[in-house]
Amino acid sequence: MATSSLSVTDNRTGKTYELPISDGTIKAIDLRAIKTDADDFGLMTYDPAFMNTAACRSAITYIDGDKGILRYRGYPIEQIADKATFLEVAYLLAEGELPTQAQLDKWTHNITYHTYVHTNVIKFLEGFRYDAHPMGMLLGAVGALSTFYPDAKHIEDPANRYVQRVRLLAKIPTIAAFAFRHSRGLPYEFPRNDLDYIGNYVNMMFSIGGKHEPNPVLQRALEILLILHADHEQNCSTSAVRAVGSSHVDPFSAISAGIAALYGPLHGGANEAVLEMLEEIGDKKNIPAFIEKVKKGDGRLMGFGHRVYKSYDPRAKLIKRVADEVFAETGLNPKLEIALELERIALEDEYFIKRKLYPNVDFYSGLIYQAMGYPTDYFTVLFAVGRLPGWLAQWEEMLMDKDQKIARPRQIYTGQDERPYVAIEKR
Ligand code: CMC
């Protein structure tokens, strides 16, 4: 009869060990019992970049990378993107269930009434150079928020954690909008409590002289894009939030670590890099040469490939649909033609087929953001606003998980053996 264990024979000693298997994993710590002698530290696993290591148990987001499935708390992303609002999704990720009307009303009210930031945050933002990257501004300002809310360090108190979640969800769009206005030299537009979450965010960005004509199609498109980014289980920025949060620092500091991780071009910065790549290609006729360059290892096809998805990213499929609706309002983004042709050629090319490289969430999102009027360097900020509910839900889950401790990987030391200190004149 099959048992849920793994028999391992250590050929150094001839000893056999039984390692229990649960949820398709063995516990790395069980390997520690495998030793050559009593002084041996015991076996470890070597897994740079966590290619095959589950670092937590999570009930938030399910991904099947081969089948292209993404679910938030069990709900298919297609249904969520079609029906839910962003704040409903934030509630679902945090609480595990969709809110009732009364729960949603309370949640929305709380977030709406925390949207203002201390005026010193404004002074802080004003101190950035006129051309500061908005992601640098966002990560600096969110880190700085911890100094405005020293009570946030009481992470052991659930009521306190709730307040900080509300504050972050309420204030990050405000800071993100201020960063946008800063780059344009426009006065900051304050939050309006009579508008909904997305309406207020867009108004803070685009209102001129207190006036902005909302476009419901573009606002819903932005909401769908934010929903599609809301969580993606243990990605680089979420792992950063979990790792930094595992030191029991306040959530503002942990979330600013997530923003820093997202900034990188291999993660959230890819949407910005896609647009730069499309600009570099410039014309459809240059695509074959560009693909050849990538295949030779000179650069990457940005917006392609994923650590988990080995088929079409379900978010990219939905984003393509949103793109049609947005371009019907704004007129076609001329770079779309290049992107579509690039995708067509790449998907027929042996190099990309063999490596299972498909468009990811970042391939088309930048084209939409650009058509909506956002500058390229602002795209990752939109990703951060969207990903915030996921970071918060994962932070909470990490703190509640009895298996978790401070994140502290092991290493294989490859440096010098002990040697005597050499005086400076003898070096
Ligand atoms: N263009 C060309 N080749 C690629 C690409 C790409 N975009 N992505 C992977 N490869 C190749 C890579 O060179 C390697 O080839 P070989 O086996 O010959 O060495 C193979 O595919 C496997 O790549 P990898 O780097 O080992 O895969 P990974 O899981 O470590 O990387 C990735 C995943 C997303 C970082 C990578 O696919 C990439 O750099 N993509 C471009 C950047 C991008 O679009 N990032 C956004 C990711 S989705 C949203 C998000 O997380 O923010």
Side-chain angles (χ1 to χ4, degrees):
M1 200 184 88
T3 46
S4 280
S5 72
L6 181 72
S7 303
V8 179
T9 301
D10 184 349
N11 293 323
R12 298 170 302 176
T13 59
K15 277 197 203 156
T16 297
Y17 301 80
E18 287 295 310
L19 307 179
I21 298 177
S22 70
D23 298 320
T25 64
I26 56 161
K27 288 206 168 78
I29 198 74
D30 288 346
L31 297 172
R32 194 72 76 72
I34 303 177
K35 299 177 179 215
T36 47
D37 55 50
D39 292 337
D40 185 2
F41 181 77
L43 215 55
M44 293 195 295
T45 56
Y46 176 58
D47 191 11
F50 300 105
M51 296 290 286
N52 196 37
T53 294
C56 64
R57 304 170 70 84
S58 182
I60 300 171
T61 288
Y62 174 80
I63 301 177
D64 183 326
D66 292 326
K67 297 201 185 106
I69 293 173
L70 170 61
R71 294 181 199 134
Y72 293 163
R73 299 282 190 186
Y75 295 107
I77 191 64
E78 294 76 10
Q79 292 176 30
I80 291 280
D82 193 32
K83 304 237 168 6
T85 64
F86 184 70
L87 285 189
E88 260 184 297
V89 173
Y91 185 99
L92 171 70
L93 291 171
E95 307 289 342
E97 295 298 337
L98 286 167
T100 61
Q101 190 61 54
Q103 287 166 333
L104 183 61
D105 290 347
K106 185 173 165 217
W107 178 239
T108 306
H109 179 273
N110 288 344
I111 291 170
T112 306
Y113 285 86
H114 278 88
T115 45
Y116 267 66
V117 290
H118 193 288
T119 44
N120 287 1
V121 173
I122 296 171
K123 289 191 193 137
F124 181 79
L125 288 171
E126 282 168 353
F128 281 98
R129 259 174 62 140
Y130 70 98
D131 59 351
H133 195 289
M135 276 301 273
M137 290 180 72
L138 186 69
L139 95 86
V142 172
L145 280 187
S146 74
T147 67
F148 290 85
Y149 303 108
D151 59 314
K153 66 173 182 263
H154 296 298
I155 58 152
E156 67 294 340
D157 173 10
N160 190 295
R161 291 199 302 274
Y162 177 86
V163 173
Q164 311 316 331
R165 274 213 299 277
V166 164
R167 280 183 173 148
L168 275 154
L169 283 161
K171 293 178 201 308
I172 281 192
T174 308
I175 294 172
F178 287 179
F180 177 80
R181 307 281 292 200
H182 182 89
S183 66
R184 305 204 150 184
L186 288 168
Y188 300 165
E189 182 74 26
F190 287 98
R192 272 185 43 193
N193 294 351
D194 59 317
L195 298 175
D196 66 17
Y197 192 79
I198 303 292
N200 173 51
Y201 180 36
V202 172
N203 188 67
M204 287 189 290
M205 282 186 283
F206 293 113
S207 176
I208 297 289
K211 288 207 181 82
H212 170 247
E213 199 60 53
N215 179 325
V217 176
L218 297 192
Q219 288 200 3
R220 180 59 192 159
L222 178 62
E223 183 159 40
I224 294 174
L225 286 170
L226 298 185
I227 289 171
L228 294 178
H229 286 88
D231 193 50
H232 214 233
E233 49 119 307
Q234 308 313 313
N235 55 84
C236 178
S237 57
T238 301
S239 303
V241 171
R242 278 181 172 262
V244 172
S246 78
S247 73
H248 288 184
V249 74
D250 69 87
F252 297 99
S253 303
I255 296 296
S256 71
I259 297 171
L262 191 73
Y263 196 175
L266 296 188
H267 192 9
N271 52 19
E272 185 178 338
V274 169
L275 259 284
E276 282 158 10
M277 173 186 78
L278 295 176
E279 245 147 52
E280 183 196 326
I281 295 172
D283 191 287
K284 278 197 323 192
K285 70 175 189 320
N286 300 328
I287 293 176
F290 181 81
I291 297 261
E292 282 317 305
K293 203 172 81 152
V294 167
K295 283 161 61 177
K296 284 196 194 109
D298 182 3
R300 287 197 162 191
L301 182 47
M302 298 311 286
F304 257 67
H306 199 275
R307 173 65 58 79
V308 180
Y309 292 121
K310 299 302 166 200
S311 64
Y312 213 101
D313 183 334
R315 301 168 300 173
K317 261 187 213 157
L318 293 164
I319 285 179
K320 257 178 122 171
R321 252 190 11 225
V322 174
D324 292 338
E325 288 160 24
V326 168
F327 296 146
E329 291 289 310
T330 62
L332 212 58
N333 186 326
K335 293 192 198 78
L336 178 69
E337 261 203 316
I338 303 178
L340 287 168
E341 183 64 1
L342 197 54
E343 177 187 341
R344 191 189 65 75
I345 295 182
L347 292 182
E348 285 174 0
D349 191 296
E350 192 48 33
Y351 174 95
F352 295 90
I353 296 170
K354 206 175 111 203
R355 291 168 180 78
K356 299 188 175 161
L357 300 171
Y358 293 86
N360 60 48
V361 69
D362 290 320
F363 193 65
Y364 288 104
S365 59
L367 289 167
I368 303 178
Y369 294 144
Q370 192 172 56
M372 286 174 166
Y374 297 101
T376 318
D377 67 0
Y378 197 73
F379 298 169
T380 314
V381 173
L382 293 164
F383 194 155
V385 172
R387 182 54 54 89
L388 178 63
W391 289 333
L392 290 169
Q394 301 269 353
W395 172 71
E396 176 79 19
E397 187 178 62
M398 179 273 303
L399 290 174
M400 291 300 97
D401 183 347
K402 297 223 169 358
D403 284 352
Q404 294 296 332
K405 289 170 179 281
I406 186 165
R408 205 306 183 183
R410 293 277 174 177
Q411 65 164 12
I412 301 169
Y413 178 68
T414 60
Q416 302 276 358
D417 269 345
E418 184 182 343
R419 47 183 178 160
Y421 180 79
V422 181
I424 195 156
E425 61 279 7
K426 296 208 172 134
R427 285 174 214 162

